[in-house]
Amino acid sequence: QVSATTEPHYTIATDTTFPPFEFQGKNGKYVGIDMDLLAAIAKKEHFTYKLTPMSFNSATQSVLSGQIDGVIAGMTITDEREAVFDFSKSYYKTGIIMAVNKASKIKKLTDLKGKTVALKTGTGSAEYARGIQKKYGFKVTYFNDSNTMYNDVKVGNSDATFEDMPVMQYAIKNGVALKIVTKPTLAGYYGFAVKKGQNKALLQAFNSGLAKIKADGTYQKIVNKYLDASA
Ligand code: GLN
Protein backbone atom coordinates (compact mmCIF):
# COMPACT_ATOMS: atom_id res chain seq x y z
CA GLN A 1 0.00 0.00 0.00
CA VAL A 2 1.44 3.32 -1.12
CA SER A 3 0.28 6.23 0.95
CA ALA A 4 -0.52 9.56 -0.69
CA THR A 5 2.35 11.26 1.10
CA THR A 6 4.91 9.12 -0.71
CA GLU A 7 3.67 10.17 -4.14
CA PRO A 8 6.22 12.31 -5.95
CA HIS A 9 5.29 15.97 -6.15
CA TYR A 10 6.27 18.24 -9.04
CA THR A 11 5.95 21.85 -10.07
CA ILE A 12 4.47 22.34 -13.54
CA ALA A 13 4.26 25.57 -15.50
CA THR A 14 1.64 26.43 -18.08
CA ASP A 15 0.70 29.41 -20.24
CA THR A 16 -1.67 32.00 -18.73
CA THR A 17 -4.10 31.57 -21.60
CA PHE A 18 -3.91 29.31 -24.66
CA PRO A 19 -7.39 27.91 -25.22
CA PRO A 20 -8.41 25.15 -25.81
CA PHE A 21 -5.20 23.86 -24.18
CA GLU A 22 -5.14 26.00 -21.03
CA PHE A 23 -7.44 28.76 -19.88
CA GLN A 24 -9.34 29.82 -16.80
CA GLY A 25 -12.80 28.34 -16.41
CA LYS A 26 -15.71 30.23 -14.86
CA ASN A 27 -14.50 29.67 -11.30
CA GLY A 28 -10.96 30.76 -12.15
CA LYS A 29 -9.72 27.19 -12.16
CA TYR A 30 -7.48 26.21 -15.07
CA VAL A 31 -9.13 23.93 -17.62
CA GLY A 32 -8.35 22.79 -21.16
CA ILE A 33 -6.86 19.86 -23.04
CA ASP A 34 -3.39 20.19 -21.47
CA MET A 35 -4.86 20.62 -18.00
CA ASP A 36 -7.13 17.58 -18.28
CA LEU A 37 -4.40 15.43 -19.83
CA LEU A 38 -2.01 16.34 -17.02
CA ALA A 39 -4.61 15.61 -14.35
CA ALA A 40 -5.54 12.27 -15.91
CA ILE A 41 -1.88 11.27 -16.32
CA ALA A 42 -0.99 12.26 -12.74
CA LYS A 43 -3.86 10.15 -11.46
CA LYS A 44 -2.80 7.10 -13.48
CA GLU A 45 0.87 7.49 -12.53
CA HIS A 46 0.34 8.47 -8.88
CA PHE A 47 2.10 11.80 -8.75
CA THR A 48 0.86 15.17 -7.54
CA TYR A 49 1.77 18.61 -8.82
CA LYS A 50 1.47 22.31 -8.27
CA LEU A 51 0.42 24.15 -11.43
CA THR A 52 1.85 27.63 -12.01
CA PRO A 53 0.43 29.61 -14.94
CA MET A 54 2.76 32.29 -16.36
CA SER A 55 3.65 33.72 -19.74
CA PHE A 56 4.73 31.04 -22.21
CA ASN A 57 8.21 32.55 -22.30
CA SER A 58 8.52 32.50 -18.50
CA ALA A 59 7.19 28.94 -18.42
CA THR A 60 9.91 27.61 -20.70
CA GLN A 61 12.62 29.75 -19.03
CA SER A 62 11.57 28.60 -15.54
CA VAL A 63 12.09 25.01 -16.59
CA LEU A 64 15.49 25.77 -18.11
CA SER A 65 16.58 27.60 -14.95
CA GLY A 66 15.51 24.65 -12.82
CA GLN A 67 12.86 26.59 -10.85
CA ILE A 68 10.05 24.46 -12.30
CA ASP A 69 10.10 20.74 -13.08
CA GLY A 70 8.04 20.61 -16.26
CA VAL A 71 6.00 22.61 -18.74
CA ILE A 72 2.77 21.77 -20.54
CA ALA A 73 1.66 24.76 -22.62
CA GLY A 74 0.83 23.75 -26.17
CA MET A 75 4.60 23.67 -26.58
CA THR A 76 5.78 22.62 -30.01
CA ILE A 77 8.56 20.04 -30.22
CA THR A 78 11.34 21.58 -32.33
CA ASP A 79 14.96 20.65 -33.05
CA GLU A 80 16.24 23.82 -31.35
CA ARG A 81 14.27 23.10 -28.21
CA GLU A 82 15.34 19.47 -28.19
CA ALA A 83 18.88 20.71 -27.62
CA VAL A 84 17.86 22.02 -24.17
CA PHE A 85 14.61 20.20 -23.29
CA ASP A 86 13.57 16.55 -23.17
CA PHE A 87 10.10 16.17 -24.66
CA SER A 88 7.44 13.56 -24.02
CA LYS A 89 5.81 11.65 -26.84
CA SER A 90 3.77 14.15 -28.83
CA TYR A 91 0.07 14.53 -28.06
CA TYR A 92 -1.41 17.03 -30.56
CA LYS A 93 -0.74 18.26 -34.09
CA THR A 94 -0.28 21.93 -34.91
CA GLY A 95 0.94 24.36 -37.57
CA ILE A 96 1.43 28.13 -37.84
CA ILE A 97 -1.09 30.38 -39.60
CA MET A 98 -1.44 34.12 -40.18
CA ALA A 99 -4.57 35.81 -38.87
CA VAL A 100 -5.81 39.34 -39.52
CA ASN A 101 -8.71 41.54 -38.52
CA LYS A 102 -12.01 40.27 -39.98
CA ALA A 103 -12.30 43.47 -42.01
CA SER A 104 -8.70 43.43 -43.25
CA LYS A 105 -7.71 43.19 -46.92
CA ILE A 106 -4.46 41.38 -46.08
CA LYS A 107 -4.55 37.92 -47.64
CA LYS A 108 -0.96 36.80 -47.98
CA LEU A 109 2.56 37.33 -46.71
CA THR A 110 3.43 39.77 -49.51
CA ASP A 111 0.63 42.06 -48.26
CA LEU A 112 2.62 42.59 -45.04
CA LYS A 113 5.04 45.15 -46.48
CA GLY A 114 5.27 48.10 -44.08
CA LYS A 115 2.66 46.54 -41.77
CA THR A 116 2.96 45.64 -38.10
CA VAL A 117 2.76 42.03 -36.97
CA ALA A 118 1.85 41.09 -33.38
CA LEU A 119 3.89 38.23 -31.91
CA LYS A 120 4.01 36.33 -28.64
CA THR A 121 7.44 36.31 -27.02
CA GLY A 122 9.29 33.02 -27.01
CA THR A 123 6.94 31.15 -29.34
CA GLY A 124 7.57 29.20 -32.50
CA SER A 125 5.31 31.65 -34.36
CA ALA A 126 7.45 34.59 -33.27
CA GLU A 127 10.56 32.74 -34.38
CA TYR A 128 8.95 31.94 -37.74
CA ALA A 129 7.89 35.56 -38.24
CA ARG A 130 11.36 36.87 -37.45
CA GLY A 131 12.75 34.50 -40.04
CA ILE A 132 10.59 35.96 -42.82
CA GLN A 133 10.49 39.55 -41.58
CA LYS A 134 13.21 40.93 -43.86
CA LYS A 135 11.82 39.19 -46.92
CA TYR A 136 8.30 40.58 -46.44
CA GLY A 137 9.27 43.91 -44.90
CA PHE A 138 7.03 44.09 -41.84
CA LYS A 139 7.53 45.48 -38.33
CA VAL A 140 6.95 43.39 -35.22
CA THR A 141 5.50 44.07 -31.81
CA TYR A 142 5.62 41.64 -28.88
CA PHE A 143 3.07 40.43 -26.34
CA ASN A 144 3.26 38.03 -23.42
CA ASP A 145 -0.10 36.39 -23.93
CA SER A 146 -2.30 35.41 -26.83
CA ASN A 147 -5.40 37.39 -25.77
CA THR A 148 -3.61 40.73 -25.66
CA MET A 149 -1.94 39.90 -28.95
CA TYR A 150 -5.28 39.14 -30.67
CA ASN A 151 -6.76 42.30 -29.22
CA ASP A 152 -3.99 44.42 -30.73
CA VAL A 153 -5.01 43.12 -34.16
CA LYS A 154 -8.69 43.52 -33.37
CA VAL A 155 -8.35 47.19 -32.41
CA GLY A 156 -6.10 47.87 -35.40
CA ASN A 157 -2.78 48.67 -33.72
CA SER A 158 -1.30 45.61 -35.42
CA ASP A 159 -2.22 44.38 -38.89
CA ALA A 160 -1.64 40.66 -38.48
CA THR A 161 -0.49 37.95 -36.12
CA PHE A 162 0.99 34.48 -36.36
CA GLU A 163 -0.47 31.81 -34.10
CA ASP A 164 -0.92 28.04 -33.81
CA MET A 165 -3.76 26.91 -36.03
CA PRO A 166 -5.84 24.93 -33.50
CA VAL A 167 -5.62 27.80 -31.01
CA MET A 168 -6.59 30.49 -33.52
CA GLN A 169 -9.45 28.35 -34.87
CA TYR A 170 -10.80 27.86 -31.36
CA ALA A 171 -10.52 31.58 -30.56
CA ILE A 172 -12.37 32.57 -33.75
CA LYS A 173 -15.05 29.98 -33.10
CA ASN A 174 -15.47 31.50 -29.66
CA GLY A 175 -15.90 35.06 -30.83
CA VAL A 176 -12.47 36.59 -31.47
CA ALA A 177 -13.07 38.85 -34.50
CA LEU A 178 -10.07 37.74 -36.59
CA LYS A 179 -9.81 35.52 -39.66
CA ILE A 180 -7.18 33.01 -40.78
CA VAL A 181 -5.77 33.87 -44.21
CA THR A 182 -2.92 31.42 -44.81
CA LYS A 183 -2.51 27.66 -44.93
CA PRO A 184 -0.63 26.19 -41.95
CA THR A 185 3.14 26.06 -42.21
CA LEU A 186 5.84 24.41 -40.05
CA ALA A 187 3.62 21.51 -39.05
CA GLY A 188 4.63 20.20 -35.65
CA TYR A 189 3.41 18.47 -32.53
CA TYR A 190 2.89 19.50 -28.93
CA GLY A 191 4.81 17.76 -26.17
CA PHE A 192 5.30 18.01 -22.43
CA ALA A 193 8.86 19.16 -21.60
CA VAL A 194 11.43 18.96 -18.82
CA LYS A 195 14.94 20.40 -18.76
CA LYS A 196 17.31 18.19 -20.74
CA GLY A 197 18.71 15.43 -18.55
CA GLN A 198 16.51 16.40 -15.56
CA ASN A 199 13.30 15.00 -14.10
CA LYS A 200 13.56 11.70 -15.91
CA ALA A 201 10.98 10.06 -13.61
CA LEU A 202 8.45 12.78 -14.35
CA LEU A 203 8.99 12.49 -18.10
CA GLN A 204 8.71 8.73 -17.92
CA ALA A 205 5.50 8.98 -15.87
CA PHE A 206 4.04 11.42 -18.39
CA ASN A 207 4.80 9.09 -21.29
CA SER A 208 3.50 6.06 -19.46
CA GLY A 209 0.31 7.85 -18.41
CA LEU A 210 -0.21 9.28 -21.90
CA ALA A 211 0.00 5.79 -23.41
CA LYS A 212 -2.55 4.54 -20.86
CA ILE A 213 -5.06 7.32 -21.43
CA LYS A 214 -4.71 6.93 -25.19
CA ALA A 215 -5.42 3.21 -24.86
CA ASP A 216 -8.42 3.53 -22.54
CA GLY A 217 -10.18 6.32 -24.45
CA THR A 218 -9.59 9.07 -21.87
CA TYR A 219 -7.36 11.04 -24.25
CA GLN A 220 -10.03 11.15 -26.97
CA LYS A 221 -12.71 12.03 -24.43
CA ILE A 222 -10.66 15.00 -23.24
CA VAL A 223 -10.03 16.27 -26.78
CA ASN A 224 -13.71 15.86 -27.67
CA LYS A 225 -14.75 17.75 -24.55
CA TYR A 226 -13.05 20.89 -25.88
CA LEU A 227 -13.20 20.35 -29.63
CA ASP A 228 -16.19 19.05 -31.49
CA ALA A 229 -14.68 16.01 -33.22
CA SER A 230 -16.87 16.61 -36.25
CA ALA A 231 -15.65 20.20 -36.69
N1 GLN B 1 3.17 26.15 -29.88
C1 GLN B 1 3.85 27.40 -29.75
C2 GLN B 1 5.26 27.20 -29.26
O1 GLN B 1 5.56 26.17 -28.75
C3 GLN B 1 3.11 28.39 -28.85
C4 GLN B 1 2.90 27.92 -27.45
C5 GLN B 1 2.14 28.92 -26.61
O2 GLN B 1 1.97 30.07 -27.01
N2 GLN B 1 1.67 28.51 -25.46
O3 GLN B 1 6.07 28.06 -29.37
mmCIF file of all heavy atoms in Angstrom, residues 15 18 56 73-76 81 120 122-124 164 190, ligand 1:
data_model
loop_
_atom_site.group_PDB
_atom_site.id
_atom_site.type_symbol
_atom_site.label_atom_id
_atom_site.label_comp_id
_atom_site.label_asym_id
_atom_site.label_seq_id
_atom_site.Cartn_x
_atom_site.Cartn_y
_atom_site.Cartn_z
ATOM 1 N N ASP A 15 0.938 28.066 -19.703
ATOM 2 C CA ASP A 15 0.699 29.406 -20.239
ATOM 3 C C ASP A 15 -0.502 30.023 -19.516
ATOM 4 O O ASP A 15 -1.414 29.297 -19.103
ATOM 5 C CB ASP A 15 0.407 29.251 -21.748
ATOM 6 C CG ASP A 15 0.535 30.543 -22.530
ATOM 7 O OD1 ASP A 15 0.571 31.624 -21.922
ATOM 8 O OD2 ASP A 15 0.600 30.454 -23.774
ATOM 9 N N PHE A 18 -4.175 29.900 -23.338
ATOM 10 C CA PHE A 18 -3.907 29.314 -24.658
ATOM 11 C C PHE A 18 -5.014 28.302 -24.963
ATOM 12 O O PHE A 18 -4.775 27.115 -25.135
ATOM 13 C CB PHE A 18 -2.526 28.633 -24.623
ATOM 14 C CG PHE A 18 -1.873 28.458 -25.974
ATOM 15 C CD1 PHE A 18 -1.682 29.532 -26.836
ATOM 16 C CD2 PHE A 18 -1.401 27.211 -26.367
ATOM 17 C CE1 PHE A 18 -1.052 29.366 -28.060
ATOM 18 C CE2 PHE A 18 -0.772 27.029 -27.594
ATOM 19 C CZ PHE A 18 -0.599 28.113 -28.439
ATOM 20 N N PHE A 56 4.101 32.206 -21.587
ATOM 21 C CA PHE A 56 4.734 31.038 -22.209
ATOM 22 C C PHE A 56 6.253 31.151 -22.111
ATOM 23 O O PHE A 56 6.944 30.184 -21.786
ATOM 24 C CB PHE A 56 4.307 30.918 -23.673
ATOM 25 C CG PHE A 56 4.963 29.754 -24.371
ATOM 26 C CD1 PHE A 56 4.620 28.450 -24.051
ATOM 27 C CD2 PHE A 56 5.944 29.965 -25.326
ATOM 28 C CE1 PHE A 56 5.248 27.375 -24.676
ATOM 29 C CE2 PHE A 56 6.568 28.895 -25.960
ATOM 30 C CZ PHE A 56 6.219 27.600 -25.631
ATOM 31 N N ALA A 73 2.183 23.452 -22.204
ATOM 32 C CA ALA A 73 1.660 24.759 -22.616
ATOM 33 C C ALA A 73 1.486 24.818 -24.129
ATOM 34 O O ALA A 73 1.865 25.794 -24.762
ATOM 35 C CB ALA A 73 2.611 25.856 -22.144
ATOM 36 N N GLY A 74 0.946 23.762 -24.712
ATOM 37 C CA GLY A 74 0.830 23.750 -26.168
ATOM 38 C C GLY A 74 2.187 24.014 -26.777
ATOM 39 O O GLY A 74 2.317 24.752 -27.744
ATOM 40 N N MET A 75 3.203 23.392 -26.200
ATOM 41 C CA MET A 75 4.598 23.673 -26.583
ATOM 42 C C MET A 75 5.024 22.758 -27.728
ATOM 43 O O MET A 75 4.988 21.534 -27.608
ATOM 44 C CB MET A 75 5.503 23.471 -25.378
ATOM 45 C CG MET A 75 6.949 23.797 -25.640
ATOM 46 S SD MET A 75 7.872 23.615 -24.101
ATOM 47 C CE MET A 75 9.526 23.951 -24.681
ATOM 48 N N THR A 76 5.415 23.385 -28.822
ATOM 49 C CA THR A 76 5.784 22.625 -30.015
ATOM 50 C C THR A 76 7.175 22.011 -29.866
ATOM 51 O O THR A 76 8.113 22.678 -29.413
ATOM 52 C CB THR A 76 5.745 23.548 -31.250
ATOM 53 O OG1 THR A 76 4.465 24.196 -31.275
ATOM 54 C CG2 THR A 76 5.935 22.758 -32.541
ATOM 55 N N ARG A 81 14.654 23.356 -29.602
ATOM 56 C CA ARG A 81 14.270 23.102 -28.210
ATOM 57 C C ARG A 81 14.783 21.760 -27.719
ATOM 58 O O ARG A 81 15.090 21.612 -26.533
ATOM 59 C CB ARG A 81 12.749 23.189 -28.065
ATOM 60 C CG ARG A 81 12.251 24.620 -28.128
ATOM 61 C CD ARG A 81 10.745 24.672 -28.086
ATOM 62 N NE ARG A 81 10.269 26.059 -28.114
ATOM 63 C CZ ARG A 81 9.041 26.416 -28.449
ATOM 64 N NH1 ARG A 81 8.170 25.483 -28.783
ATOM 65 N NH2 ARG A 81 8.691 27.671 -28.447
ATOM 66 N N LYS A 120 3.922 36.703 -30.061
ATOM 67 C CA LYS A 120 4.005 36.332 -28.638
ATOM 68 C C LYS A 120 5.420 35.875 -28.332
ATOM 69 O O LYS A 120 5.927 34.930 -28.950
ATOM 70 C CB LYS A 120 2.985 35.237 -28.349
ATOM 71 C CG LYS A 120 2.894 34.860 -26.897
ATOM 72 C CD LYS A 120 1.579 34.136 -26.666
ATOM 73 C CE LYS A 120 1.769 32.842 -25.967
ATOM 74 N NZ LYS A 120 0.527 32.058 -25.937
ATOM 75 N N GLY A 122 8.805 34.370 -27.333
ATOM 76 C CA GLY A 122 9.290 33.023 -27.015
ATOM 77 C C GLY A 122 8.597 31.890 -27.736
ATOM 78 O O GLY A 122 8.889 30.724 -27.465
ATOM 79 N N THR A 123 7.694 32.217 -28.652
ATOM 80 C CA THR A 123 6.944 31.152 -29.335
ATOM 81 C C THR A 123 7.559 30.791 -30.690
ATOM 82 O O THR A 123 8.315 31.567 -31.278
ATOM 83 C CB THR A 123 5.487 31.594 -29.596
ATOM 84 O OG1 THR A 123 5.503 32.750 -30.440
ATOM 85 C CG2 THR A 123 4.761 31.910 -28.301
ATOM 86 N N GLY A 124 7.157 29.637 -31.171
ATOM 87 C CA GLY A 124 7.573 29.204 -32.495
ATOM 88 C C GLY A 124 7.062 30.147 -33.570
ATOM 89 O O GLY A 124 7.751 30.389 -34.574
ATOM 90 N N ASP A 164 -0.681 29.466 -33.539
ATOM 91 C CA ASP A 164 -0.918 28.044 -33.808
ATOM 92 C C ASP A 164 -2.335 27.861 -34.342
ATOM 93 O O ASP A 164 -3.287 28.426 -33.797
ATOM 94 C CB ASP A 164 -0.751 27.225 -32.525
ATOM 95 C CG ASP A 164 0.703 27.129 -32.093
ATOM 96 O OD1 ASP A 164 1.568 27.760 -32.723
ATOM 97 O OD2 ASP A 164 0.972 26.420 -31.107
ATOM 98 N N TYR A 190 2.719 19.055 -30.308
ATOM 99 C CA TYR A 190 2.893 19.497 -28.928
ATOM 100 C C TYR A 190 3.448 18.354 -28.086
ATOM 101 O O TYR A 190 3.080 17.188 -28.284
ATOM 102 C CB TYR A 190 1.558 19.918 -28.318
ATOM 103 C CG TYR A 190 0.947 21.165 -28.917
ATOM 104 C CD1 TYR A 190 -0.423 21.361 -28.860
ATOM 105 C CD2 TYR A 190 1.739 22.151 -29.509
ATOM 106 C CE1 TYR A 190 -1.013 22.509 -29.382
ATOM 107 C CE2 TYR A 190 1.162 23.298 -30.035
ATOM 108 C CZ TYR A 190 -0.204 23.471 -29.974
ATOM 109 O OH TYR A 190 -0.784 24.608 -30.490
HETATM 110 N N1 GLN B 1 3.167 26.151 -29.876
HETATM 111 C C1 GLN B 1 3.849 27.399 -29.752
HETATM 112 C C2 GLN B 1 5.259 27.202 -29.258
HETATM 113 O O1 GLN B 1 5.560 26.170 -28.746
HETATM 114 C C3 GLN B 1 3.107 28.390 -28.853
HETATM 115 C C4 GLN B 1 2.896 27.922 -27.448
HETATM 116 C C5 GLN B 1 2.138 28.923 -26.611
HETATM 117 O O2 GLN B 1 1.965 30.067 -27.011
HETATM 118 N N2 GLN B 1 1.672 28.511 -25.455
HETATM 119 O O3 GLN B 1 6.073 28.059 -29.373
#
